Amino acid sequence: QNSLVLSAAIFITLIGLIIYLHFVKIDQESLLVIGSLGIQVTSSYASGKESTTFIEMSRVKDVVINEAIHMQKVIYYLCILLQDPGDPQGISEVVPLFQSSKPRLDCLIEVYKSCQEILEQKKTAPQSS
C-alpha cells in the first residue's frame, strides 16, 4: 500500500517536471529585426521546444524600454508598441520582450539602440506604392 502511494507520488512528480520543462522553463530568448519584413521573437524551452512569434513591420509603431516596480525593485524590460489600425497615432497593444531572461538595463539599451537604428532606416527609406 505504501509503495503504491510512493510510486504514484514519484510518477506525478515526474509528469509535473516534464510539463514544467516543456511549457514553462524558457532557456533562451532571441529577437530578430528585419526592417523590410518585421520582428521575430523566439523562445527556446528547456525541453528543446521552440515558440516563435512574428510581427509585421507595418504593425510596429515603436520599440521602447519600459519600467515597472515589483517588490520594491525597479524592473526594466523591452516592449514593442503595435500601431492601432483605426488610429495611426494610437497604440493597440504592448508586447513585452525577454520576460524570462530579464536582461540588465545596459543590455536592453544595446538592443534598443539596434532596434531604433533599423526602425529609423525603415522610416527614412522611400515608400514603394
Side-chain angles (χ1 to χ4, degrees), residues 30-48:
S30 66
L31 180 70
L32 176 63
V33 182
I34 301 173
S36 59
L37 293 175
I39 299 175
Q40 177 178 303
V41 182
T42 304
S43 300
S44 300
Y45 293 84
S47 66

Side-chain angles (χ1 to χ4, degrees), residues 9-115:
I10 291 171
F11 180 74
I12 290 172
T13 303
L14 286 174
I15 295 296
L17 181 62
I18 290 170
I19 289 171
Y20 173 77
L21 290 176
H22 193 69
F23 294 108
V24 179
K25 174 80 169 92
I26 296 177
D27 263 354
Q28 184 177 339
E29 294 175 297
S30 66
L31 180 70
L32 176 63
V33 182
I34 301 173
S36 59
L37 293 175
I39 299 175
Q40 177 178 303
V41 182
T42 304
S43 300
S44 300
Y45 293 84
S47 66
K49 175 185 149 195
E50 283 192 352
S51 171
T52 302
T53 304
F54 183 78
I55 302 169
E56 293 178 24
M57 196 54 84
S58 61
R59 294 183 60 210
V60 175
K61 183 169 179 75
D62 203 359
V63 175
V64 297
I65 295 178
N66 206 353
E67 60 185 19
I69 298 173
H70 177 71
M71 302 291 285
Q72 302 175 341
K73 190 165 78 170
V74 178
I75 298 171
Y76 298 95
Y77 55 98
L78 200 65
C79 292
I80 300 173
L81 304 179
L82 299 183
Q83 195 165 359
D84 188 358
D87 177 17
Q89 298 301 318
I91 297 168
S92 66
E93 192 176 342
V94 177
V95 180
L97 303 173
F98 306 121
Q99 290 291 290
S100 295
S101 54
K102 295 181 180 72
R104 296 185 327 259
L105 180 59
D106 58 335
C107 297
L108 286 178
I109 289 172
E110 290 298 319
V111 175
Y112 169 78
K113 286 179 181 178
S114 298
C115 290

